[in-house]
Amino acid sequence: MGRYFRDIYISVFTVLKGMYVTMLHFFSKSVTVQYPKERLEIPKGSRNQLLNIIEDCIGCDQCVRACPVNCIYMETIKSFEGDELGETSTGRKKSLWIPSFTIDMAKCCFCGLCTYPCPTECLIMTDVYEYSKHDRNDLIFEFADLDPIKAAELREKDAIRKKEKEAAKLAKLKAKEAAAKAKAEKEAAEEGKTPEKKPEDNPDKKTDNSGEENS
Amino acid sequence: MTETLTNPVLTLLRLIPGVETLSDGMQVLLSGFLAGVILFAFIAVFALYAVYLERKVAGHVQDRLGPMEVGWHGLLQTIADAIKLLNKEDFAPKDVDTKLFTLAPFLVFMTALSVFVVFPYDSQVSIANLNIGIFYVIAISSIAVPAVIMAGWSSNNKWSLFGAMRSAAQIVSYEIPVGLSIICVIMVVGHMGMQEIVEFQGGGFWKWVIFRSFPFNFIAFFIFFLGSLAEVNRTPFDLPEAESELVAGFMTEYSGMRWAFFFLAEYGNMLAVGLVGAALFLGGWQPPFEFLSFVPGWLWFILKALVLIFVQIWLRWTLPRLRVDQLMYVCWKVLVPFAFVCIIGVGLWEVLT
Amino acid sequence: MTSEEIFAKLKEKFGDKILETDTEAVQPIATVDPASIAEVCEFLKNEPDLDFKFLNCLTGVHINKVEEEEEEKLRVVYNMESLVIKHKTALDVIVPISKPNVPSVTSVWKTANWHEREAYDLMGIVFDGHPDLTRILCPEDWEGHPLRKDYVVQEFYQGMKVPYPEEEPKQEEKEEK
Amino acid sequence: MPEIKTEDVYIELGRHPKAGFAAEDLILQMGPQHPSTHGVLRLECVTDGEIIKKAVPKIGYLHRCFDKHAENENWQQVIPYTDRIDYLASMNQNFSYAITVEKLMDIEIPERAEYIRVIVSELQRIASHLIAFGTYGLDMGAFTPFLYAFRDRETILDFFEKICGGRLLYNYIWIGGVSHDLYDGFKEECMKFLDYFEEKIHNEYNPLLSFNKIFIERTANVGIITPEQAIDYGLTGPCLRGSGIDWDLRRDDPYSIYDRFDFEVIVGKGEKGTVGDSWDRYMVRIWEMVESIRIIRQALQQIPEGDIISEKVGKVVKVPKGEVYGRTETPRGELGFYLISEGGKGPARLKSRSPCFSNLCVIEEMSQGYMLADLVAILASIDIVLGCIDR
């Protein structure tokens, strides 16, 4: 019987104590901010939207490798002779054209791992957090400022250069095989004199060839 | 008590030209219809601002501001909500028992609305001055139970069924303590008509029923208040629409205007309970002191009801929720015994003094 | 007790069933013959002065192929600990990939129930005697065991295309615009 | 297509009296989308009216295959993934991953980095326990504690944003130290917050919710886990301590510099009901917040100057071959990583043993006979996070 009345007393007492606490808050100042009108100021190092200052970017591909979710896509073309690419703000010579440098902010996990290895500190995290879009593809931000015509022209020159390189490599390969064949016939001619020497140097030659092809 | 109380609504009706020509029966019918329209408007407006009051109180209690965007300090916020609910799609889930599904909200709102007929707004002003006033209020408020079960069963959703069963059990069982505490009042006043109860409490706040036969009626008031909290499904007894367990209880499948009716009914009931509490225990339209009687009576009545509503809202944002079996324990093991004790106490007090 | 004593106790009790013990590594570990892992664990748990009542972690591992001729192996590592004597040890079991059956230790520790279901689900190790060996993380009718080295994602799952579109999202749109 | 009658479907599923299923049993899917399952957990409950006969948790809705990701990332890139295992306590997740890798690499961390790590993970413990406290109140129907908890948690998130830039997922504790140093005004601000917060616990949270009779009625003697059951099911953290077992990794297997601080390990004593009920687990978290405040205060006093990452860890992290099981005490229990490294660019196999995974598996046996509303109370008292269960 005692417990019955004690329970009632405790519940009335604790309910009143709880109401007292909430009543105190009824008069205390509100801690919220009316968002669109007033805004909280964002601290300096806070990680929101990524921004790449393309003038300073030397296309070193460090950030693409550092990103855990691979959301940075970069295309670089080596500069041709006589091209004038200008320098970064710190006076560092640029040697790579960057026709397209995109960051897919929909995939980005805001870890900031890409900003640490950047040699020219051009990839930074700004404090812009209101960049929501209707279509997910609009979240893919393009930072390169090369005009499309120049970019297309560069791509063709690059394609031509690649073809020449391929041709040159093929030619070198053929030349090497020709030389190897010539050497083989010469040795076949001397075979009558020293049969055992031939087997061991043949495999090295073979490995050189295969090594070369792989590189 | 003058039986031929002039029915204010009837006098209002006669102002419209060309009504005298109709027969008496038709006039009474029309006045009933007119009373319904006036009440609906009054409750709708009140419910909108009760929601606004609730969200503001909730805000300030939780260190935030509540609605601030629409209108000055969010005054038009609930009107905007109402309009949004109006043009929402009138959607009913598949294989739902449509007849019951559509009927339930109107039935629930009907009970909330029809209770207001009998309240004494001012000394002579009440829509129908029944001499069994308070008995009528208790009878009407129990019509909500089948309506709630209808809503829960017809929305063909296990969670709604749970909510409906809990709500039915809760409303039915909490009518007993409410009824018993009202008996204490009737024993003191000696009359069941609401107008007469309020007139009995005239002449200063110490004449109010709450202070008559002191300890018992005071406890009876709290039993009434707790019981009415449960009848209106407000915290700490808001089990039927317990957000964290049953999503929204029997109202889960409703949306748009139908849901608005449930919402209107809830706030209408809240106001009704506040008004009954004010009328029975806190002296209706009687001013607390004689010299304050220049303030119109209905203002006192509304003010007292608002105080009770504020306490209901305040409780909602402080207390957690009870479990179903604890709910029943509180009702049968605590409220009902104390109500009996109060009845005996008041009875002895009346006989001895 | 240090891991040497623990392994010595095990060797003396189970003899050749303890295949090899390695105590110099950062984490001393004892390899146990798969068939008798349940008895060893039962012994470790109920032995008063070992008292390994707490199974920390049960990991499924796919050892990549070391020698050409042998087939690949799956390995289950048991980390356990005693809260009273405050010492911990690790056992492991190696089974060929063609017959990945390991006796279940759910009878010893109830926590192993879910850990074994996860090892079965992601690694494909079948635990005999497990009360209900079904997938726990992947959907019930998922094909293949994702954590295996030779795992290839299935093309469709109930009509939905599974693999993430690999093509560059940027390049095509640029040209079309 | 023959028209399928719903009755046949039920018979085939075995949920029809013809198929021997008791008429009054109800299969209730407390589905992946439910207000009080703390995430995407589905509880298939067989209930008889309100009483639960069997509640089987079905998980896997938030499975992001952390183990598979970890195999294709290098050592540094795994850290943002560990953030996302238990997204409410990311600092502690980075901490246990960093501890495991450093145990294998056997390198020394600069003193200042150790102190920053302790301060930051104890702050994260307070933030995580605040969420546990807030959501518990929410599940019991009391709205206000949730908002008070989030108001105080905001200050901790602001500290983290000023320190490392992130608010919820930080990628802050790296292998070999921490990525950023504390900003200079941190010490005073933190001290001020701790005094303000300790006073808030004692005369705001406790009277409002912890000692409220309705809350006690709803949680005492509900979801009782006996000590043997707790150990057998591998429970850790507040769930284990709530059942009366005095086991805290920070004191019993001290990692980093926790042995320099004196703090008390809170154990459930069954004040309001039996030992090991939901109220005990809840109160263990509340008093643990007070202990964390003590730890942070001591750490803030003793923090030395110095660099924050060890030089031995260069741009590319090299980890020797080997296997190790490292673990720390996260707010939800013991998060352990079983790491196998073949000396390569990244971990060969990284199994994450998450606390909520084991804490949840006790619910099947323990929730029989309780009512539906108690199931919500039990779930909230175990304080599960679905990212931590499904990984």
Side-chain angles (χ1 to χ4, degrees), chain B residues 208-280:
Chain B
W208 287 353
V209 168
I210 195 167
F211 301 116
R212 294 288 176 95
S213 53
F214 176 65
F216 303 110
N217 263 340
F218 195 76
I219 300 168
F221 170 70
F222 283 104
I223 292 171
F224 170 82
F225 187 70
L226 283 182
S228 58
L229 262 185
E231 284 214 16
V232 168
N233 297 344
R234 296 282 306 179
T235 309
F237 308 103
D238 66 343
L239 263 82
E241 26 91 15
E243 298 81 20
S244 66
E245 290 135 37
L246 309 175
V247 184
F250 53 87
M251 294 191 267
T252 330
E253 298 302 339
Y254 284 90
S255 69
M257 207 44 213
R258 288 202 192 95
W259 184 77
F261 266 109
F262 273 120
F263 213 59
L264 224 56
E266 189 195 336
Y267 281 92
N269 276 337
M270 216 167 96
L271 173 66
V273 155
L275 290 174
V276 167
L280 291 186

Side-chain angles (χ1 to χ4, degrees), chain A residues 4 22 25 28 31 34 37, chain B residues 60-61 63 65 69 318 333:
Chain A
Y4 173 76
T22 31
H25 276 266
S28 64
V31 291
Q34 296 303 316
K37 295 191 262 306
Chain B
H60 286 289
V61 155
D63 284 351
L65 293 178
E69 277 306 306
T318 336
K333 291 274 176 56

Side-chain angles (χ1 to χ4, degrees), chain D residues 249-380:
Chain D
L249 288 179
R250 293 176 293 175
R251 185 202 57 192
D252 296 329
D253 174 10
Y255 48 93
S256 145
I257 50 168
Y258 269 102
D259 39 23
R260 294 187 197 157
F261 308 112
D262 77 47
F263 60 95
E264 223 194 293
V265 174
I266 311 289
V267 177
K269 288 184 264 319
E271 283 160 53
K272 301 286 177 189
T274 52
V275 178
D277 57 13
S278 305
W279 193 79
D280 270 355
R281 285 191 286 276
Y282 164 83
M283 273 327 278
V284 160
R285 287 195 192 89
I286 296 286
W287 299 131
E288 250 180 27
M289 281 200 273
V290 177
E291 291 310 314
S292 296
I293 292 174
R294 270 175 66 193
I295 296 176
I296 300 174
R297 281 211 183 99
Q298 293 163 38
L300 277 176
Q301 262 111 26
Q302 304 162 8
I303 186 163
E305 287 310 320
D307 54 8
I308 49 167
I309 196 153
S310 80
E311 300 73 28
K312 280 200 272 312
V313 175
K315 273 263 184 300
V316 180
V317 179
K318 273 181 279 315
V319 180
K321 216 164 117 58
E323 287 174 24
V324 80
Y325 176 71
R327 64 216 177 133
T328 62
E329 182 72 30
T330 68
R332 276 163 193 82
E334 167 196 319
L335 173 76
F337 283 104
Y338 192 78
L339 176 69
I340 298 172
S341 125
E342 256 114 35
K345 172 164 80 61
R349 168 81 166 103
L350 184 64
K351 148 93 179 168
S352 51
R353 183 263 187 214
S354 83
C356 310
F357 188 72
S358 309
N359 292 353
L360 184 67
C361 66
V362 80
I363 210 168
E364 199 167 334
E365 183 189 319
M366 184 255 292
S367 70
Q368 264 142 14
Y370 285 108
M371 306 188 67
L372 204 59
D374 296 336
L375 191 61
V376 169
I378 297 165
L379 260 178

Side-chain angles (χ1 to χ4, degrees), chain B residues 61-64 158-159 162 166 236 243-245 247 317-323 325-326, chain D residues 27-29 34-36 49-50 139-141 143-144 147-148 151 212 214 217-218 373-374:
Chain B
V61 155
Q62 293 161 355
D63 284 351
R64 55 188 173 86
K158 287 175 185 154
W159 300 102
F162 265 115
R166 284 186 183 180
E243 298 81 20
S244 66
E245 290 135 37
V247 184
W317 300 107
T318 336
L319 298 179
R321 189 180 302 127
L322 278 172
R323 211 178 40 204
D325 56 332
Q326 289 161 353
Chain D
I27 286 198
L28 203 63
Q29 304 287 358
H34 185 272
S36 70
E50 288 256 357
D139 286 350
M140 291 300 117
F143 253 87
T144 339
L147 285 142
Y148 292 165
R151 172 201 65 207
N212 186 318
I214 299 174
E217 280 300 313
R218 280 292 301 274
D374 296 336

Side-chain angles (χ1 to χ4, degrees), chain A residues 111-199:
Chain A
C111 59
L113 280 175
C114 49
T115 50
Y116 302 117
C118 179
T120 58
E121 298 290 332
C122 76
L123 189 60
I124 48 164
M125 280 207 147
T126 62
D127 58 3
V128 170
Y129 56 89
E130 287 142 331
Y131 56 91
S132 51
K133 299 278 193 294
H134 291 295
D135 176 5
R136 196 174 302 153
N137 290 336
D138 299 350
L139 275 176
I140 299 164
F141 291 94
E142 172 61 56
F143 289 103
D145 56 0
L146 216 56
D147 50 19
I149 312 128
K150 184 111 175 61
E153 178 204 305
L154 277 171
R155 285 200 186 95
E156 274 136 33
K157 267 165 92 179
D158 189 39
I160 304 153
R161 179 171 57 181
K162 237 192 220 97
K163 258 199 234 60
E164 279 149 18
K165 214 189 257 168
E166 286 306 329
K169 197 178 285 169
L170 240 68
K172 210 147 27 88
L173 212 66
K174 255 195 236 60
K176 192 165 284 298
E177 265 137 21
K181 229 193 271 69
K183 217 153 143 234
E185 274 121 23
K186 197 146 57 39
E187 270 141 17
E190 295 149 7
E191 200 184 31
K193 283 202 274 356
T194 54
E196 73 289 341
K197 194 163 68 54
K198 227 178 301 354

Side-chain angles (χ1 to χ4, degrees), chain D residues 103-143:
Chain D
K103 208 187 233 181
L104 206 54
M105 288 164 75
D106 190 7
I107 53 168
E108 265 311 303
I109 317 291
E111 276 300 296
R112 184 169 174 81
E114 289 282 13
Y115 275 94
I116 293 180
R117 280 183 176 186
V118 166
I119 292 169
V120 147
S121 17
E122 287 311 315
L123 273 174
Q124 180 72 84
R125 188 184 311 278
I126 294 177
S128 165
H129 281 334
L130 273 177
I131 291 184
F133 156 74
T135 43
Y136 211 135
L138 214 54
D139 286 350
M140 291 300 117
F143 253 87

